[in-house]
């Protein structure tokens, strides 16, 4: 699945997919290449695109009536659009 990082905290990031569904991404599941981009000023100006797998067995709360499932194996999306 693909999405963008919407927010981050001390324990996790929030990823939003194209359908506006949000996912909870624990920091231990994040590729090291992503970590330098996790600052508020950068995320306000630039979208950080990621790919990830969804863990439907766990969720952290709900947003707009939908469960916020866990994301795992979170990596920078290296797709090139021509």
């Amino acid at each position: 699945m693909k999405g963008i990082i919407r927010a981050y905290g001390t324990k996790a990031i929030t990823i939003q997919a194209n359908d506006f569904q949000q996912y909870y991404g624990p920091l231990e599941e994040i590729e090291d290449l992503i970590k330098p981009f996790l600052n508020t000023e950068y995320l306000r100006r630039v979208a950080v695109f990621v790919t990830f797998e969804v863990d439907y067995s766990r969720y952290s709360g709900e947003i707009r009536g939908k469960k916020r499932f866990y994301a795992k194996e979170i990596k920078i999306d290296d797709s090139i659009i021509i």
Side-chain angles (χ1 to χ4, degrees):
M1 181 161 289
K2 294 184 178 190
I4 62 171
I5 298 175
R6 278 291 179 212
Y8 76 97
T10 59
K11 296 182 181 182
I13 61 172
T14 299
I15 302 169
Q16 184 173 307
N18 290 341
D19 63 358
F20 299 103
Q21 175 71 34
Q22 291 187 354
Y23 299 88
Y24 179 85
L27 290 182
E28 60 268 10
E29 292 288 340
I30 297 172
E31 176 181 42
D32 286 338
L33 291 173
I34 296 172
K35 293 178 181 178
F37 299 111
L38 298 181
N39 76 61
T40 304
E41 201 56 42
Y42 189 84
L43 289 177
R44 284 185 186 155
R45 294 180 286 148
V46 177
V48 178
F49 291 89
V50 295
T51 61
F52 60 98
E53 299 295 323
V54 179
D55 181 354
Y56 291 105
S57 68
R58 301 185 301 161
Y59 68 94
S60 176
E62 296 183 9
I63 181 108
R64 297 183 190 111
K66 294 182 180 181
K67 292 180 180 176
R68 183 181 292 152
F69 290 104
Y70 273 63
K72 58 185 181 180
E73 298 181 32
I74 304 162
K75 299 178 181 174
I76 289 279
D77 183 7
D78 58 359
S79 300
I80 297 173
I81 300 171
I82 298 176

